[in-house]
């Protein structure tokens, strides 16, 4: 498989993992029973950090598409860390579904205090969506590992992302008009062409 194809698959895989985490975040994660009444707890309440992690993953995928070789390694490490964070955030609801329901039950009942709210919850069952969150985190981390292992072989960013400096092909000095254009380009790059050092 070519390096360009591997690059594309890993970037798309990371983006799809982030989208999957966002989808899971919007669904019902826990069904808690309070005095016999079922209350649906969505991912926003059960794993509030998941949306921020998924959005960071989407931004990371865009940056990875145009990053240079050294920056790809940094982004690969970040992608692994984001994946691990998604797994941790999702696993918390799986490990203790009643605790994941505390915030919503407090809003609905007005009862404050973790122990008092937990006493109201007679049963709390998880749905499939926390497991989908865990799976998205695992895929995310796997894509990050793939980036770390293969990014040195990826093709470089396209020419459209590189700075352009105008000069004559024969090396002749620029005319006054060309120099003025080049001065504007220097300003665009953040340099002051009038600053003589």
């Amino acid at each position: 498989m070519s390096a360009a194809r591997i690059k594309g698959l890993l970037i798309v895989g990371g983006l799809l993992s982030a989208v999957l985490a966002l989808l899971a975040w919007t669904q019902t994660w826990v069904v808690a029973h309070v005095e016999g009444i079922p209350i649906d707890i969505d991912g926003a309440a059960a794993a509030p950090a998941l949306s921020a992690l998924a959005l960071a993953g989407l931004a990371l995928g865009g940056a990875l598409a145009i990053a240079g070789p050294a920056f790809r390694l940094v982004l690969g490490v970040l992608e692994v860390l984001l994946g691990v964070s998604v797994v941790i955030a999702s696993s918390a609801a799986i490990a203790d579904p009643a605790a994941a329901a505390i915030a919503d039950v407090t809003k609905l009942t007005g009862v404050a205090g973790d122990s008092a709210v937990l006493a109201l919850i007679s049963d709390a069952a998880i749905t499939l969506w926390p497991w989908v969150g865990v799976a998205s985190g695992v895929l995310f981390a796997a894509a990050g590992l793939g980036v770390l292992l293969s990014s040195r072989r990826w093709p470089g960013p396209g020419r459209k992302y590189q700075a352009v400096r105008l000069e004559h092909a024969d090396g002749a000095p620029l005319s006054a008009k060309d120099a003025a254009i080049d001065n504007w380009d220097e300003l665009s790059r953040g340099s002051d062409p009038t600053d003589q050092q």
Side-chain angles (χ1 to χ4, degrees):
M1 187 180 298
S2 71
R5 186 171 174 86
I6 291 171
K7 174 184 178 180
L9 287 174
L10 288 172
I11 290 173
V12 169
L15 290 172
L16 289 176
S17 298
V19 169
L20 187 62
L22 272 177
L23 175 66
W25 178 76
T26 64
Q27 304 302 313
T28 300
W29 281 37
V30 176
V31 178
H33 290 86
V34 177
E35 296 179 358
I37 301 169
I39 300 172
D40 292 341
I41 312 299
D42 62 10
L50 199 59
S51 65
L53 294 169
L55 291 173
L58 290 173
L60 187 142
L64 198 55
I66 60 172
F71 198 53
R72 287 181 207 142
L73 294 176
V74 173
L75 292 174
V77 170
L78 286 176
E79 192 166 18
V80 170
L81 292 175
L82 282 173
V84 169
S85 299
V86 168
V87 169
I88 291 169
S90 301
S91 297
I94 295 169
D96 193 356
I102 288 175
D104 277 6
V105 172
T106 297
K107 286 179 194 172
L108 292 172
T109 63
V111 175
D114 290 358
S115 59
V117 173
L118 288 173
L120 291 176
I121 300 172
S122 59
D123 180 45
I126 62 167
T127 65
L128 174 69
W129 290 105
W131 292 106
V132 172
V134 169
S136 70
V138 169
L139 292 173
F140 216 169
L145 283 174
V147 169
L148 290 173
L149 295 174
S150 68
S151 67
R152 292 198 183 272
R153 296 188 307 266
W154 290 6
R159 191 173 164 90
K160 66 182 175 181
Y161 299 112
Q162 298 173 357
V164 176
R165 186 169 193 87
L166 299 175
E167 60 183 37
H168 292 286
D170 60 1
L174 294 174
S175 68
K177 181 181 176 186
D178 291 339
I181 293 171
D182 196 47
N183 286 342
W184 278 108
D185 289 342
E186 285 295 324
L187 284 172
S188 297
R189 291 185 202 102
S191 301
D192 183 0
T194 61
D195 185 21
Q196 302 295 327
Q197 296 183 1

